[in-house]
Amino acid sequence: MRRRLLLAAPLGVGIVGVAGLGAMMATRLNAPAGSGSVASPRVGTAAPSDLLGRPWPGEERRALRAEDLARPGRPALLWFWASWCPACAQSPAGLAAASDFGCLLCGVLWRDTPDRGAAALRIWGDSYARLTHDADGRLGDVWGIFGVPEAFLIGPDGVVRRRIVGALTPERVERDLRPWV
Amino acid sequence: MAAEGSVPEVGTLALWSALVASLLAAWSGGRATPRPAAARALAGLAAALLTGAQLLLAWAFAVSDMTVANVLDNSHPAKPLLLRVAGSWASHEGSLVLWSMMTAWALWALARHMGPLGEAGPRAVSALALVLSGFLLFLVLTSSPFVRVPPEEIGPGFGLNPILQHWALSIHPPLLFLGYVGTAVSFAVAVGALWVGKVDRAWGAAARPWVGGAFVALTLGIGLGSWWAYEELGWGGFWFWDPVENASLLPWLLTGALLHTVAAVAARGVLRRWAVLLAIAAFASAIFGSFLVRSGVLTSVHAFALDPARGLAMLALAGGVTLAGLGLYAWRGGRLREGAPFAPWSRDGMLVANNVGLCAVAAVVAGGTVWPLIVEALSGTSLHVGPAFYVAALAPLALGIGLAMGPGPRLAWRRDRLTRTLARAWPLAPAAVGAAGASWAMGGGSWGVLGFGVAAWVLMGAVLDLAERWRTGALGRRGVGAVLAHAGVGVVAVAVVAMGLSSVRSVVLGPGEEVVHAGHRWIVLAIEDRTGPNFLERGARVLIVPEHGSFGREIWTSRRVFPVEGQVTTEMGSWRGLWRDLRAVHGGEEQGRVLLRLSSEPLAAWLWMGGLMIVIGAGLATWPKAASGRLCGEAVALAPGKTATHAGHRWTLAAGNGDREGWGVRVRISPAHGSFAVEVRASPGRAGRWERGWRVLRVAPLAVAPDGRFQVALSVGVGRLFQAAVVLSLTGAIVLAWRLWG
Amino acid sequence: MGLTRREGLARAIVSLTLLPESVVARGEELDPALEDRARALGRRLRCPVCQGEPVDESASEFAGRVRAEVRRRLAEGETDEAIVAALVERYGPAIDGRPPSGGWATPLWLLGPVAVLAGLGLAWVAAPRRRGLGGRR
């Protein structure tokens, strides 16, 4: 009897392990796939909206407002960028794609000056619905960014859904952002 | 050519055909009366088909055929050719093709060499063929790399990260896959033995080369990955306890334990159930590890992304194979005869302790990787398990294993006496205390002192092992290999502890300015712009000169911008030496002065040298012995007193003992033109050897003829001296290459 | 041929000065006690974007910002734990190099000893019956 138990024990442990892993996988079945998401304490919480940066001179019309980050029925993409950032130069097509499928595109110019930002936008293209300026990086600190470029997808309910680090290409938008909207 | 060509379709056909072939091979080996020849042929067919598929995929990458989805997602025409081809196995789908191809080749090799396994041979082939079929089924159903891209989506490729464009990273996955395939073979060999209900010494000897090969491949793969990280990432780290790294460490730990266990089965017929269970566990850890990496359950820099449905399919495959193995053990394990009992203080006992220790390390590594996922699923808390945890939790276990490695290899089988061990192994303690004391005197912290002490203990254990083997004349290839591998572990331990004592300093220097750090003067010669094939860089030329010396080395460190990929990378400059690596990493510029992170990594080279020692040692210890007399030499039948002439020597049968129980011969060998003679003893399984200069003269007894004559095989081969000379010159060549390149 | 606009931008980026806080590795000098605490925290905190390198040693721009932040908070009189907690709240638990403790982490710490004891126990129980070698049964 003891012998039988010892022989069957590994099988028992194996079944438990496989079942556990299977259960874990099954709970994620409904979540869409995709890579490139970075763990962040902001994901899954309400988007912080007390700090909003400063409007660009001459672009007060497109200043970032608190309700932009929690607009019912409309997702928002908070995009941290800078003119000196090479990967940001790779992203205009992706940003346009995100804007196309309904995201409110909010650009945060991080640790840079609006002059250089405007020059960069002339080269790269401007599809932003909102523009704000974070000169000293405090807004970036609130969101806990490591650097630029980074993007936060905020759902229509105002909850941060995903954080993307690195250049935003159209195929990345398709794979890593759309399913979460 | 690409759009009209049917290369991807041919590839898909090849995959399906290979699946059919492997299923048929499984059936040939698994039926009531196995058909080994058919299994061999079908295995060869599957291997050929999968090689064709792999070549087709590589071709698609080489010509940048963007109609193939896999090429579109993972390649770019601007990448160098070799790296494009390497991209054919970089993706999930491509890597599965590579894995399947290697498994098919292993299947064919196993089918060709299944003789030593006896009855279990065809069953093992069948088991491996079933595993291959499972992988192929998963491949063709969910992850085919030959899927075409709809015409509207064809475009330029999405390339790879320039950071990942390094030759070491190109061969690191194939080496690891080779190791995983090795665990699959070990699994199949164990399952085959379970199937026929016999795990004995012959099985152990037959399984040992396969397990050894798996261990060598895994060590090389992990070592190469570590080395790349150390060279590329610049801050001296070489292991980060990343989930994907842990997933490759688990099979290595379990295969290491399996290696020792199989050797014990081969030598003494003990630890049979350990061997079978470890073989199943090692393979399970390899496939579950890969499943975790690819399932999207883990976030890591390495992780591929898959949809959860595919992840579940992989879980089904991995779980199915593992549970089948464990189920077979539950059903047939009772048939295995137990080995002889042994006392705790014995070599058998030490091996059990070694196994328990390695399995505990594997459990902690697996736990640390998986527990955060479980916690998050259960409670939503985000738990971070980082290097600090692993080092703290594994240090005591590593200490225990290290302590066992000192006296362990020399303990007697079945039962040894503590007093006898103390008498023989007394140098261990002074060595450890001496090393610990020396490092304490040089200002090491408590962990460093302890680490150096244990490393010295392990090294001294290897020295003692070597000494005793020499003394008793049991210094064969296997013994040398084992000693070398254990010494390699000690060397790695020393290096790991030493590198924890690296010294780092950040300075801002302008051209012409210098600073003193780590016993050297670091002088910035100039700050320059340079251009590369696909990048622009700006960096500093730094001259490093020893404080009390005059011959230094100039290094270059820079920031690189890749305009096409939009990436900025940092290239470090390093001066590699035997005793330390000196490095400078560019950290940006301010007003014409450059920020440099200077560091000195003590004994970094020893880490890689120790790894090589482990690889070479394990290879030496497990390479299959040529079956007595079959491969070379001349078989003759001699009566006592009769002489044969072979290879310029006279071989005279001095005496023979023909008892059924344990027969043997004594043969006198003398050179044709000489007057002296040497007498060797030989018994079945133990050839008599005479090391003569560069050569070795061997006598292998084959059989006792009914008329009283003894059949022996006489042969002349390459002697130990020659082998040692080859090894030494190879080592010298490696060291020379290192000095020239570093 | 002359530089394309892209290459020109690339050159500009490469030769661009980094922001002062990240270039100057140490920031303002604090008094010795605070400096020691800053160094200790720098060794404890790990840079999540540079493979877990200690923040004190990393040349990356992010590490420079974290070092500056730590010093700023130390100068304002915050405790070590409060500083680490604030950084964890901002960047996630990976930045704290200390191993997890308490609560959910306890089973993990117990795993090692339990595995060893269980393994040795199983080996003892399942070992071949000893006869005359001093074992039980």
Side-chain angles (χ1 to χ4, degrees):
Chain A
M1 185 55 212
R2 190 190 68 150
R3 201 125 190 271
R4 284 258 187 90
L5 207 60
L6 284 175
L7 286 174
L11 181 62
V13 167
I15 293 179
V16 165
V18 172
L21 278 174
M24 217 161 48
M25 282 302 305
T27 59
R28 289 165 182 258
L29 253 183
N30 296 323
S35 67
S37 161
V38 179
S40 167
R42 300 284 84 74
V43 170
T45 64
S49 53
D50 31 350
L51 224 64
L52 296 166
R54 267 193 296 271
W56 286 32
E59 294 276 9
E60 284 77 9
R61 206 175 30 85
R62 291 203 274 176
L64 185 65
R65 296 186 291 274
E67 56 266 23
D68 291 329
L69 302 178
R71 186 170 287 220
R74 186 154 196 203
L77 190 70
L78 193 67
W79 170 252
F80 287 84
W81 65 283
S83 69
W84 44 262
C85 149
C88 303
Q90 309 276 305
S91 309
L95 291 170
S99 180
D100 281 344
F101 76 79
C103 274
L104 187 74
L105 190 60
C106 311
V108 181
L109 184 65
W110 185 76
R111 294 181 168 244
D112 204 350
T113 61
D115 298 337
R116 298 225 290 253
L121 288 186
R122 276 194 291 275
I123 303 178
W124 299 339
D126 178 355
S127 47
Y128 293 98
R130 301 281 182 268
L131 282 174
T132 186
H133 176 216
D134 182 19
D136 49 8
R138 298 224 341 256
L139 182 54
D141 285 347
V142 163
W143 285 82
I145 64 172
F146 297 136
V148 283
E150 284 196 28
F152 291 85
L153 179 70
I154 306 161
D157 50 0
V159 170
V160 179
R161 298 243 172 120
R162 208 147 154 79
R163 171 187 180 186
I164 309 278
V165 170
L168 198 64
T169 56
E171 66 103 32
R172 210 169 170 198
V173 166
E174 199 57 40
R175 197 184 62 201
D176 295 337
L177 281 184
R178 264 204 104 135
W180 271 266
V181 173
Chain B
M1 170 200 180
E4 307 83 35
S6 55
V7 153
E9 282 69 30
V10 172
T12 310
L13 182 63
L15 291 177
W16 278 104
S17 315
L19 171 61
V20 170
S22 73
L23 281 170
L24 286 174
W27 184 68
S28 309
R31 44 187 297 202
T33 4
R35 295 275 176 85
R40 208 174 303 145
L42 288 163
L45 179 62
L49 285 168
L50 285 169
T51 310
Q54 176 68 55
L55 286 173
L56 285 171
L57 188 61
W59 174 258
F61 269 84
V63 302
S64 294
D65 179 355
M66 293 299 171
T67 64
V68 177
N70 198 254
V71 179
L72 182 65
D73 286 337
N74 296 290
S75 190
H76 193 284
K79 275 168 60 177
L81 174 66
L82 281 178
L83 289 169
R84 283 208 303 275
V85 167
S88 66
W89 57 72
S91 64
H92 163 73
E93 295 80 4
S95 66
L96 277 180
V97 172
L98 185 71
W99 191 333
S100 303
M101 180 188 82
M102 287 181 168
T103 310
W105 282 109
L107 180 67
W108 186 63
L110 185 64
R112 283 195 55 173
H113 296 278
M114 60 171 146
L117 284 167
E119 268 186 5
R123 310 303 189 196
V125 169
S126 178
L128 190 58
L130 279 175
V131 167
L132 175 63
S133 311
F135 269 93
L136 284 173
L137 195 63
F138 176 77
L139 180 60
V140 295
L141 287 183
T142 73
S143 318
S144 174
F146 292 114
V147 168
R148 289 271 197 192
V149 174
E152 63 271 11
E153 286 182 26
I154 297 177
F158 294 112
L160 256 193
N161 204 325
I163 286 186
L164 304 176
Q165 289 178 20
H166 188 287
W167 66 266
L169 273 199
S170 298
I171 61 174
H172 158 67
L175 273 176
L176 275 181
F177 291 152
L178 204 57
Y180 295 162
V181 166
T183 65
V185 175
S186 313
F187 171 81
V189 165
V191 161
L194 268 181
W195 197 324
V196 303
K198 197 159 74 135
V199 173
D200 56 6
R201 290 183 54 182
W203 175 87
R208 183 172 43 199
W210 299 106
V211 177
F215 185 72
V216 163
L218 282 172
T219 313
L220 275 174
I222 292 175
L224 201 61
S226 257
W227 178 82
W228 172 84
Y230 174 74
E231 289 290 323
E232 278 302 308
L233 299 180
W235 65 267
F238 55 88
W239 190 264
F240 311 96
W241 299 104
D242 179 75
V244 171
E245 287 177 325
N246 296 348
S248 70
L249 187 63
L250 291 177
W252 182 82
L253 291 164
L254 293 170
T255 305
L258 178 63
L259 189 57
H260 289 85
T261 313
V262 162
V265 174
R268 303 281 302 187
V270 294
L271 306 184
R272 302 166 198 226
R273 283 167 295 164
W274 269 108
V276 170
L277 284 173
L278 278 173
I280 299 175
F283 181 52
S285 72
I287 38 176
F288 272 106
S290 312
F291 146 74
L292 265 182
V293 163
R294 292 149 191 261
S295 65
V297 166
L298 296 173
T299 35
S300 151
V301 286
H302 278 93
F304 300 98
L306 287 189
D307 47 277
R310 253 204 297 200
L312 268 180
M314 274 184 40
L315 176 63
L317 175 64
V321 173
T322 310
L323 293 179
L326 292 175
L328 190 62
Y329 177 78
W331 180 34
R332 298 277 200 135
R335 286 223 198 148
L336 300 181
R337 285 179 48 206
E338 287 182 352
F342 52 87
W345 191 255
S346 61
R347 184 130 26 133
D348 325 52
M350 272 298 171
L351 283 170
V352 169
N354 182 47
N355 284 352
V356 169
L358 286 172
C359 288
V361 170
V364 170
V365 170
T369 311
V370 161
W371 187 241
L373 304 173
I374 299 178
V375 164
E376 189 172 341
L378 288 181
S379 80
T381 333
S382 158
L383 187 68
H384 175 74
V385 176
F389 165 75
Y390 290 104
V391 171
L394 293 177
L397 293 172
L399 223 74
I401 296 175
L403 284 175
M405 279 177 76
R410 286 331 306 166
L411 285 184
W413 294 98
R414 285 201 83 192
R415 190 198 348 209
D416 201 337
R417 287 191 309 278
L418 193 54
T419 48
R420 183 167 164 271
T421 311
L422 286 175
R424 281 164 179 250
W426 61 263
L428 286 175
V433 167
S439 64
W440 182 70
M442 291 199 287
S446 46
W447 280 115
V449 166
L450 195 58
F452 279 125
V454 171
W457 175 279
V458 170
L459 281 169
M460 178 53 78
V463 168
L464 288 176
D465 193 2
L466 183 66
E468 180 149 337
R469 284 180 193 267
W470 183 286
R471 199 174 56 81
T472 60
L475 191 62
R477 170 168 56 83
R478 288 200 208 291
V480 167
V483 165
L484 188 62
H486 291 151
V489 172
V491 168
V492 165
V494 167
V496 166
V497 175
M499 284 173 80
L501 305 170
S502 60
S503 62
V504 179
R505 184 166 161 192
S506 291
V507 294
V508 180
L509 293 175
E513 295 177 20
E514 71 174 66
V515 75
V516 173
H517 174 67
H520 291 74
R521 289 167 50 213
W522 307 65
I523 308 153
V524 172
L525 296 177
I527 300 177
E528 298 175 358
D529 284 306
R530 292 186 186 175
T531 316
N534 57 339
F535 59 82
L536 304 160
E537 68 179 337
R538 182 173 171 82
R541 283 170 44 211
V542 178
L543 180 66
I544 312 175
V545 182
E547 249 186 306
H548 309 291
S550 48
F551 285 102
R553 176 80 68 97
E554 182 183 309
I555 61 175
W556 164 259
T557 173
S558 65
R559 283 275 174 95
R560 282 186 189 172
V561 176
F562 293 81
V564 170
E565 291 92 340
Q567 285 231 349
V568 178
T569 65
T570 308
E571 299 298 312
M572 73 161 178
S574 68
W575 180 9
R576 297 174 197 83
L578 191 56
W579 299 101
R580 83 289 167 285
D581 278 3
L582 296 171
R583 318 171 123 196
V585 181
H586 193 289
E589 269 183 58
E590 188 195 45
Q591 293 153 5
R593 304 169 82 222
V594 66
L595 170 71
L596 291 174
R597 179 191 179 279
L598 310 176
S599 65
S600 163
E601 308 281 342
L603 300 185
W606 290 34
L607 188 59
W608 318 118
M609 275 174 9
L612 272 178
M613 285 166 75
I614 295 176
V615 164
I616 297 175
L620 284 175
T622 57
W623 190 263
K625 228 176 204 153
S628 330
R630 198 160 57 99
L631 274 193
C632 51
E634 189 183 327
V636 297
L638 291 174
K642 290 290 181 234
T643 304
T645 315
H646 170 71
H649 289 76
R650 287 201 304 274
W651 313 63
T652 311
L653 186 70
N657 170 13
D659 285 344
R660 218 163 19 104
E661 281 299 310
W663 65 280
V665 295
R666 288 201 331 255
V667 174
R668 210 174 295 132
I669 315 173
S670 65
H673 308 290
S675 54
F676 64 99
V678 165
E679 192 170 282
V680 300
R681 285 171 193 263
S683 52
R686 210 141 202 243
R689 306 170 57 104
W690 176 23
E691 298 277 343
R692 188 169 182 224
W694 294 115
R695 298 174 298 171
V696 60
L697 305 170
R698 277 190 296 251
V699 175
L702 295 176
V704 188
D707 58 5
R709 292 196 296 172
F710 293 87
Q711 280 246 322
V712 291
L714 313 172
S715 62
V716 175
V718 166
R720 297 253 167 72
L721 201 58
F722 188 83
Q723 292 172 2
V726 167
V727 168
L728 280 173
S729 5
L730 270 179
T731 314
I734 293 174
V735 167
L736 192 66
W738 177 283
R739 295 306 309 258
L740 289 176
W741 167 69
Chain C
M1 82 184 197
L3 287 179
T4 64
R5 184 186 276 159
R6 193 175 240 181
E7 281 171 1
L9 189 59
R11 279 208 190 280
I13 290 162
V14 168
S15 57
L16 205 60
T17 53
L18 276 188
L19 307 145
E21 284 158 79
S22 34
V23 170
V24 180
R26 300 287 167 231
E28 295 173 7
E29 280 300 318
L30 306 172
D31 72 64
L34 288 183
E35 185 66 28
D36 283 340
R37 280 171 63 196
R39 291 282 168 88
L41 280 175
R43 278 190 300 274
R44 171 177 170 179
L45 296 168
R46 302 276 158 158
C47 171
V49 286
C50 16
Q51 299 289 100
E53 189 181 1
V55 152
D56 209 41
E57 294 181 8
S58 172
S60 75
E61 190 252 328
F62 175 74
R65 276 192 288 132
V66 170
R67 285 194 294 264
E69 177 83 12
V70 164
R71 286 185 158 74
R72 189 177 65 77
R73 286 178 182 250
L74 279 173
E76 287 171 10
E78 290 190 31
T79 65
D80 287 358
E81 290 306 319
I83 297 176
V84 173
L87 288 173
V88 165
E89 195 271 336
R90 191 189 284 182
Y91 296 118
I95 196 169
D96 184 6
R98 279 231 187 121
S101 59
W104 284 106
T106 319
L108 207 49
W109 289 103
L110 293 176
L111 185 57
V114 163
V116 170
L117 291 172
L120 289 175
L122 261 175
W124 180 268
V125 157
R129 304 243 182 283
R130 264 178 286 291
R131 268 180 278 280
L133 284 178
R136 48 188 189 109
R137 274 186 225 99

